[in-house]
Amino acid sequence: MRRLAALRALAGVPGLRVVNLGYPSREMYHAADAPENFYMLGSMGLASSIGIGVALGVRERVVAIDGDGSVLMNLGTFATFARYAPPNLILVVLDNGVHGSTGDQPTATSSGARLDRIAAGAGVRRVRVVRDPRALLRAATGRGPAVVVARIEPGNADVPVVPLDGPTLRDRFRARAASRRRVPRPTAPRGRSR
Amino acid sequence: MRATTGLGSGTASVTTRDRKLARALRRAGIDFAATVACGIVAGVSHALAENGIAVIDATREEEGVGLCAGAALAGRTPALLLQNSGIGNSANALASLTGFYRLPLVLIVGARGGPTEFIAAQRPMGRAYVSILRALDIPRVTVRAARDAPVAERAVRRARAESRAVAVVLPPEGE
């Protein structure tokens, strides 16, 4: 599956989306722009963290769309994901084995690093590996919290950069999220206290 | 006045400064917090939890900036409690996420590396973080004692009104 096909499938999941920087945001903007999409234009590595922060503050489903190179910069995120486990959050890692936005330099998943096992080892209970858009859509609409590793082919669609500025992207996403806020409450980590 | 609490994970001394600061933060609108462990801010973290505010443990300060950005996108006013060395760990996220999207964020910064520092390795970042904050255009105020808590309240209001990051620096008490 190409990244564009994966993103088109994820655009069909009702809810809010956090989209990783570089070509994932460019392709999503091109294929299925919506105010429910928060496009990252910087801060590589933080798609999952932004997704956790949003998911803890809203009721509806949040799909955070990360990449293998990006999530390898922030592996602690799997531990945080497992610990706070927002039930409305699906973390999708589009794994093409390369840094696709900077010239296809190989990442560690191309030489054997298994993100599904890293997530499971960090304590994530629901981990799926998918290889086609239909299975991806099913996993992303299924029960959360879940980590979904989607194996995709390298390669980018020929689409321009997202033309919107930061505050514009913030405002339209926040307005969409505002109607779905939940009342703040103390959040305790799962499991035993130390 | 000191008391020890076992709320959440770990134990910490909660001082009057911690309690007054936590109440000021809540009063000014903080309703979400993340932290990376630091001895100076640990008491504030406990005091926030006592005030009913969620405190999420991040594994690294940069991750904490991401969590807080998500919370802000969901309409909350977040605080990140960290040691000043963590300003270095999170500089890119503070610039290209919090700054670029103009999101509110209150950094509660434990100031290691000052005159009473007992670990020499804390001193280089203890000097550098001030320049990093300045380079990132993040204004900085200091809360030395409990009576300075209103300074933090104003800082939160500024973060909300101007939709930006502000830093509230906490030196070790008595320094």
Side-chain angles (χ1 to χ4, degrees), chain A residues 28-108:
Chain A
M28 184 65 110
Y29 181 81
H30 171 79
D33 180 41
E36 292 83 358
N37 297 348
F38 178 74
Y39 301 108
M40 289 171 66
L41 301 175
S43 65
M44 182 171 171
L46 297 186
S48 57
S49 308
I50 297 167
I52 293 171
V54 174
L56 290 171
V58 299
R59 288 182 187 283
E60 75 178 306
R61 171 141 305 198
V62 176
V63 178
I65 306 169
D66 214 330
D68 53 315
S70 295
V71 83
L72 283 164
M73 290 180 71
N74 182 17
L75 287 179
T77 195
F78 288 124
T80 304
F81 182 103
R83 191 172 185 191
Y84 296 97
N88 54 335
L89 179 61
I90 306 290
L91 170 57
V92 175
V93 184
L94 301 178
D95 182 2
N96 59 5
V98 296
H99 289 284
S101 294
T102 57
D104 285 359
Q105 299 87 348
T107 71

Side-chain angles (χ1 to χ4, degrees), chain B residues 61-174:
Chain B
E61 294 83 355
E62 186 185 27
E63 181 195 12
V65 173
L67 294 166
C68 286
L73 288 168
R76 304 227 188 151
T77 306
L80 177 61
L81 288 65
L82 72 170
Q83 193 173 93
N84 50 3
S85 52
I87 297 294
N89 282 352
S90 55
N92 176 48
L94 289 170
S96 69
L97 184 57
T98 313
F100 180 77
Y101 292 92
R102 298 203 54 193
L103 299 169
L105 175 63
V106 178
L107 300 163
I108 307 293
V109 185
R112 295 290 302 266
T116 63
E117 182 57 57
F118 57 99
I119 294 177
Q122 292 282 2
R123 290 197 191 105
M125 274 306 289
R127 285 189 296 270
Y129 87 99
V130 175
S131 306
I132 297 172
L133 287 175
R134 201 176 292 130
L136 294 170
D137 193 28
I138 295 176
R140 173 171 51 93
V141 297
T142 303
V143 170
R144 291 191 183 281
R147 66 174 176 279
D148 300 329
V151 171
E153 202 169 324
R154 285 195 292 277
V156 178
R157 295 194 196 288
R158 183 173 181 193
R160 285 163 60 99
E162 299 179 19
S163 214
R164 67 179 303 149
V166 297
V168 176
V169 174
L170 302 188
E173 290 200 48

